[in-house]
């Protein structure tokens, strides 16, 4: 009996080979996400048991008045938003680690999310909050893309060095954070109050309109990403092999960076600067399914959703009735994880 499962789609130009054991682990991860989602929907001031939560969801939005209203109008859209944003950040991190060929690369560490956040803060200062949900993702995407391209060009010197792009990205990120803080200091109180919690990263206040406005960004960029997954597998092998295979190296990299900027920028526009998900999710996923990007992207998306849903659940329940932003808890976990990866990389290079 074969140990492997093969998936191939000529129309989507996607194919991957995977061990059945790793496939089983991926399904376990999906099951964990499902169970965590049910617990998250039921947790809160009005506690709803998991069994009752499933019954209300199964019955649709017209069940028992109080429970149905709480689940369908407040908790379910918040959960979906956390899943979508976590997936987007994790996918963006997987792309950057593949393109840069550095395990420390992620949208928040090399400055892409800082560019998106800076552009979004500028938009908040110029336009009213009522119109921001329509156009703020566009501003955030442009900010993320401009920063990503600038970092790539600034780190270029007869090719891209993984360590050089990390150093340039850290410098650009620090500069953008300083400029963003300076801008907020001189901004009106209304802008400051809007941006303060949002910049930490939170899905608080998410509703069905938020999900509706955010979904098209994923519908646009996720199919593009999976069609480029085979190119991403080649990118991690260096600069020479893609050229020998007839690939347009720089065009492929730009397309991948463009996609990463779209995913990270749109996520930042709706949930703020949630850190370290783009760093942690790909590494955890590689331990589960290996390094082939066809299936790695799927697992990274699942792990990103798990991380953000779990962080939001802890933020809502650990210090209840206070609602702590999810970005606080992703930073608490992510900072030690980054230090661990930094020490690991140093040992491998040494």
């Amino acid at each position: 009996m074969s140990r492997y499962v093969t998936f191939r789609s000529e129309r989507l130009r996607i194919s991957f080979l995977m061990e059945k054991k790793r496939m089983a682990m991926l399904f376990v991860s999906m099951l964990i996400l499902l169970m965590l989602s049910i617990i998250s929907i039921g947790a809160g001031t009005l506690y709803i048991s998991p069994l009752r939560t499933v019954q209300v969801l199964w019955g649709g939005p017209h069940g028992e008045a109080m429970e149905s209203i709480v689940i369908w109008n407040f908790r379910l859209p918040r959960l979906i938003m956390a899943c979508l944003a976590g997936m987007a950040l994790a996918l963006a991190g997987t792309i950057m680690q593949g393109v840069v060929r550095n395990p420390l690369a992620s949208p928040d560490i090399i400055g892409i999310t800082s560019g998106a956040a800076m552009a979004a803060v500028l938009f908040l200062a110029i336009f009213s909050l009522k119109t921001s949900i329509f156009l703020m993702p566009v501003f955030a995407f442009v900010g993320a893309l401009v920063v990503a391209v600038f970092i790539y060009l600034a780190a270029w010197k007869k090719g891209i060095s993984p360590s050089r792009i990390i150093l340039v990205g850290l410098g650009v990120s620090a500069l953008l954070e300083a400029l963003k803080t300076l801008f907020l200091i001189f901004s009106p109180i209304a802008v400051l109050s809007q941006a303060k919690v949002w910049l930490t990263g939170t899905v608080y206040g998410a509703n069905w309109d938020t999900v509706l406005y955010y979904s098209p960004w994923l519908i646009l960029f996720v199919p593009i990403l999976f069609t480029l997954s085979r190119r991403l597998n080649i990118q991690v092998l260096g600069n020479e092999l893609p050229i020998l295979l007839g690939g347009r190296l720089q065009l492929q990299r730009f397309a991948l960076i463009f996609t990463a900027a779209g995913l990270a920028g749109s996520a930042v526009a709706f949930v703020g600067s949630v850190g370290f998900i783009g760093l942690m999710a790909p590494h955890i996923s590689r331990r589960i399914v290996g390094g082939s990007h066809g299936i790695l992207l799927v697992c990274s998306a699942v792990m990103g959703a798990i991380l953000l849903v779990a962080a939001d659940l802890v933020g809502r329940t650990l210090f209840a009735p206070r609602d702590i932003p999810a970005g606080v808890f992703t930073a608490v976990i992510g900072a030690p994880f980054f230090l661990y990866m930094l020490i690991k990389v140093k040992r491998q290079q040494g």
Side-chain angles (χ1 to χ4, degrees):
M1 183 180 294
S2 175
R3 294 173 50 200
Y4 297 92
V5 175
T6 303
F7 175 83
R8 179 173 295 157
S9 173
E10 295 293 340
R11 178 176 298 180
L12 298 177
R13 301 180 69 182
I14 299 173
S15 64
F16 58 84
L17 184 69
M18 185 177 179
E19 288 184 86
K20 292 182 178 180
K21 180 179 179 181
R22 294 184 183 273
M23 181 68 78
M25 294 176 68
L26 175 59
F27 280 117
V28 170
S29 300
M30 293 179 177
L31 182 61
I32 291 173
L33 175 59
L34 177 61
M35 295 173 62
L36 184 63
S37 299
I38 294 173
I39 294 172
S40 179
I41 292 175
T45 305
L46 175 62
Y47 173 75
I48 305 173
S49 68
L51 179 59
R52 182 57 186 158
T53 299
V54 173
Q55 291 175 343
V56 173
L57 291 173
W58 185 265
H62 304 293
E64 187 176 333
M66 181 59 69
E67 294 178 346
S68 180
I69 290 173
V70 169
I71 289 178
W72 285 94
N73 292 358
F74 299 102
R75 294 180 184 173
L76 187 58
R78 180 168 179 163
L79 170 72
I80 294 175
M81 197 64 209
C83 288
L84 296 180
M87 290 177 181
L89 292 170
L91 291 173
T94 307
I95 296 171
M96 296 309 301
Q97 290 178 14
V99 172
V100 178
R101 305 193 310 278
N102 191 312
L104 300 178
S106 69
D108 48 311
I109 291 176
I110 67 173
I112 293 179
T113 56
S114 295
M118 184 67 195
V121 167
L122 289 174
F123 186 82
L124 283 175
I126 297 172
F127 297 93
S128 67
L129 185 61
K130 293 182 180 180
T131 58
S132 65
I133 197 170
F134 298 101
L135 295 178
M136 191 164 67
V138 178
F139 272 66
F141 165 62
V142 172
L145 181 61
V146 168
V147 170
V149 173
F150 175 79
I151 292 171
Y152 188 85
L153 295 176
W156 179 269
K157 186 179 180 182
K158 297 181 180 179
I160 288 294
S161 167
S163 59
R164 189 161 58 242
I165 201 170
I166 291 294
L167 292 174
V168 172
L170 288 172
V172 171
S173 180
L175 176 61
L176 288 173
E177 290 297 322
L179 291 176
K180 183 172 61 181
T181 302
L182 183 64
F183 179 80
L184 289 174
I185 290 174
F186 291 98
S187 296
I189 297 298
V191 174
L192 182 61
S193 61
Q194 291 173 13
K196 186 176 180 181
V197 175
W198 173 80
L199 286 173
T200 308
T202 181
V203 290
Y204 176 79
N207 52 44
W208 288 114
D209 287 337
T210 313
V211 175
L212 179 64
Y213 297 140
Y214 181 53
S215 298
W217 288 87
L218 290 183
I219 294 172
L220 172 64
F221 285 107
V222 169
I224 295 175
L225 172 57
F226 278 92
T227 58
L228 294 171
S229 61
R230 295 174 66 182
R231 305 291 185 269
L232 194 54
N233 282 328
I234 299 175
Q235 290 282 332
V236 300
L237 299 176
N239 294 333
E240 293 79 12
L241 185 58
I243 297 175
L244 292 174
L245 293 175
R248 299 180 179 180
L249 179 64
Q250 301 307 323
L251 181 61
Q252 292 173 7
R253 283 182 175 171
F254 179 79
L256 289 166
I257 291 174
F258 178 86
T259 305
L263 290 168
S266 59
V268 169
F270 284 97
V271 302
S273 301
V274 180
F276 295 104
I277 288 180
L279 173 69
M280 294 186 290
H283 285 292
I284 298 172
S285 299
R286 287 188 187 93
R287 299 295 297 271
I288 297 174
V289 299
S292 177
H293 282 87
I295 193 64
L296 177 61
L297 291 169
V298 177
C299 190
S300 293
V302 174
M303 292 309 305
I306 289 175
L307 289 172
L308 190 49
V309 169
D312 181 56
L313 174 62
V314 173
R316 288 192 294 114
T317 58
L318 189 61
F319 298 100
R322 292 182 176 86
D323 198 322
I324 308 299
V328 172
F329 296 97
T330 60
V332 168
I333 301 172
F337 188 90
F338 175 74
L339 293 176
Y340 163 75
M341 290 303 305
L342 182 61
I343 294 172
K344 184 178 179 180
V345 171
K346 288 294 184 181
R347 287 179 177 175
Q348 291 175 349
Q349 292 178 348

